[in-house]
Amino acid sequence: MNNLSLYGWNDTLFQLKQASQYKHLYHGRVAAVNKTNYEVIAQSGRLLCELAGNVLYGRSSFELPCTGDWIIFQPFDDNKGIIVDILPRKHTLYRRKSGTLSDRQAIASHVDKAFIVQSLDINFSVRRTERFMVQVLEENIQPILILTKSDLEFNRHEVDKSLKHIARQMPIFFTSILSPETILPVRKFIQQEESIVFVGSSGVGKSSLINALCERTVFSTSEISKSSGKGRHTSTRREMVLMEDSGILIDTPGVREFGLASDNSETLSEIFDVSDFAESCRFENCMHVDEPGCAVVEAVNTGLLELEAYNSYLKLQKESWYFSTSEHEKRKRDKSFSRISDEAKRIKRR
Ligand SMILES: Nc1nc2c(ncn2[C@@H]2O[C@H](COP(=O)(O)OP(=O)(O)O)[C@@H](O)[C@H]2O)c(=O)[nH]1
Ligand SMILES: [Mg+2]
Ligand SMILES: [Zn+2]
């Protein structure tokens, strides 16, 4: 028997369930997504579930269950079930599906905190941190930066300096799986019933950190290739695990590319402090790019705004704009397509 409140079940979710036509059935949380089925934690135990046709119908792939989703199922046999409904999502981390302009991919849903994991070796990248941070904040998820492998040699001064512009917006932890005293503060930071998604490139130590937090081997970890400095993809799926006495941890495989998947423009201005200068910009609708006299450009010229951070801001701004306009266009296309096919049906009926 599982106590689902340890997995985050609460009154708000209960209320959401009451709105479903399947409210009399059982609920559970998706712990992992396999190719053809879903692993679901229910009160009765762990189940393997498939999707009912009505759930599939009319949904885009990003709307299908992802790790962390709360679902309603009809049980059958021993430990099997059919998913008949998905409770509305909250705090869902999306990314842009690679190779597409405007398709989203759901990474994890109903998450409270995102641990953005970076290792203190050659993989350390402030630009990547910013990218994760923007998308995380966009969904009202709290970002936390975890800098792993602190047992390796690194320049603390350089690291602090490069993170200065984002450091006040999120807690930062330095960890090493070789020193339990660096893991303890992270564990203390995790509250009971809180869901945490771990994101970051492969090989940075996400699975190792989860194992260290749980004090047992939950996930297998990879050897780092000496030549490329990269980890092999050991974790191949997004999977949820309950940490003893507190917290729900969601491991994810490293992604090569984490593309923005929403209109992040306001979040971007805030993170990069551009909004402070933009307010005093005398041009309305200014893009803050090359307009002479623009207050933001001025701040860059006088060094109040760091050039690298500003360039990063522009790049992400462009990417988010590109995503949202393509998505908007696509929706318009889909709408007119469905209008055309409705029209066609009507003509056929005549
Ligand atoms: N020196 C050192 N190595 C670590 C640390 N954490 C993880 N590693 C190593 O980094 C490699 C990749 O770790 P893994 O957890 O599989 O990374 P993931 O792909 O992000 O899940 C493994 O060889 C780990 O032993 C650390 O704190 N210090
Ligand atoms: Mg892993
Ligand atoms: Zn301007």
Side-chain angles (χ1 to χ4, degrees):
M1 284 287 263
N2 288 317
N3 174 2
L4 288 185
S5 64
L6 291 180
Y7 284 90
W9 183 254
N10 58 29
D11 275 352
T12 316
L13 290 161
F14 175 80
Q15 294 303 334
L16 289 174
K17 188 183 175 188
Q18 298 316 299
S20 168
Q21 57 170 316
Y22 299 102
K23 64 178 181 200
H24 54 284
L25 290 175
Y26 300 92
H27 58 265
R29 194 166 190 196
V30 176
V33 177
N34 298 325
K35 279 230 166 62
T36 56
N37 56 27
Y38 299 84
E39 284 171 39
V40 171
I41 306 279
Q43 202 178 353
S44 60
R46 207 177 174 98
L47 307 160
L48 266 190
C49 291
E50 285 173 28
L51 282 185
N54 73 306
V55 179
L56 261 172
Y57 183 75
R59 278 184 215 254
S60 306
S61 65
F62 75 89
E63 293 168 316
L64 297 178
C66 71
T67 304
D69 265 333
W70 285 95
I71 53 93
I72 302 180
F73 67 92
Q74 166 87 62
F76 75 94
D77 287 354
D78 272 350
N79 308 321
K80 289 210 180 90
I82 303 281
I83 297 174
V84 293
D85 207 359
I86 309 166
L87 297 191
R89 279 181 180 158
K90 283 213 171 75
H91 309 299
T92 307
L93 183 63
Y94 292 102
R95 71 159 177 143
R96 191 179 67 243
K97 213 169 167 181
S98 29
T100 73
L101 282 183
S102 57
D103 285 352
R104 290 158 188 249
Q105 181 180 21
I107 292 177
S109 118
H110 298 281
V111 295
D112 304 287
K113 292 175 175 162
F115 281 8
I116 300 169
V117 186
Q118 296 257 340
S119 51
L120 289 158
D121 50 17
I122 48 165
N123 284 312
F124 176 75
S125 155
V126 182
R127 302 286 89 91
R128 207 176 302 128
T129 307
E130 291 164 347
R131 178 175 283 280
F132 280 119
M133 189 181 170
V134 172
Q135 191 65 39
V136 163
L137 280 171
E138 200 59 51
E139 304 296 334
N140 288 317
I141 299 167
Q142 190 195 353
I144 290 102
L145 180 59
I146 310 275
L147 298 171
T148 60
K149 312 194 187 182
S150 62
D151 50 284
L152 302 179
E153 221 173 284
F154 69 98
N155 186 330
R156 177 67 192 253
H157 178 72
E158 282 296 313
V159 169
D160 286 346
K161 203 175 122 212
S162 64
L163 292 170
K164 208 180 76 196
H165 64 299
I166 45 176
R168 61 183 168 77
Q169 306 179 65
M170 61 180 167
I172 302 179
F173 291 94
F174 287 78
T175 66
S176 163
I177 52 166
L178 306 177
S179 332
E181 70 274 14
T182 65
I183 306 295
L184 201 62
V186 181
R187 187 181 298 128
K188 282 204 181 127
F189 187 72
I190 301 170
Q191 314 276 312
Q192 199 156 28
E193 291 150 39
E194 205 167 54
S195 299
I196 297 168
V197 64
F198 288 60
V199 292
S201 315
S202 98
V204 295
K206 297 178 295 297
S207 303
S208 305
L209 181 60
I210 291 180
N211 292 344
L213 286 166
C214 294
E215 289 178 321
R216 65 195 167 95
T217 306
V218 189
F219 297 122
S220 51
T221 58
S222 75
E223 275 309 307
I224 297 281
S225 149
K226 288 241 157 53
S227 55
S228 69
K230 291 202 175 97
R232 273 180 290 118
H233 287 270
T234 308
S235 329
T236 50
R237 56 180 196 171
R238 298 176 253 282
E239 187 167 353
M240 189 171 92
V241 54
L242 189 65
M243 194 166 96
E244 212 166 313
D245 298 329
S246 80
I248 303 122
L249 313 182
I250 300 173
D251 195 13
T252 65
V255 289
R256 196 159 297 135
E257 196 188 272
F258 189 90
L260 298 184
S262 41
D263 178 359
N264 314 72
S265 47
E266 274 180 37
T267 311
L268 275 164
S269 309
E270 274 159 37
I271 290 180
F272 288 95
D273 289 337
V274 170
S275 57
D276 297 352
F277 300 105
E279 269 166 33
S280 55
C281 188
R282 61 197 161 94
F283 304 116
E284 231 175 282
N285 299 324
C286 183
M287 301 294 288
H288 316 305
V289 181
D290 49 13
E291 294 84 345
C294 159
V296 176
V297 174
E298 190 66 24
V300 176
N301 287 337
T302 54
L304 286 172
L305 209 59
E306 203 198 327
L307 179 64
E308 277 173 39
Y310 172 71
N311 281 336
S312 169
Y313 160 80
L314 287 182
K315 183 164 185 269
L316 294 172
Q317 191 71 279
K318 195 165 139 192
E319 187 176 318
S320 125
W321 179 83
Y322 211 64
F323 178 88
S324 46
T325 29
S326 323
E327 194 187 39
H328 182 73
E329 283 298 312
K330 196 171 69 183
R331 251 190 246 134
K332 239 172 37 192
R333 261 201 320 273
D334 288 353
K335 227 187 236 163
S336 60
F337 180 74
S338 69
R339 214 181 298 123
I340 293 167
S341 55
D342 284 351
E343 188 67 24
K345 270 183 221 148
R346 251 197 310 280
I347 291 168
K348 241 194 245 162
R349 248 181 259 132
R350 268 190 216 136

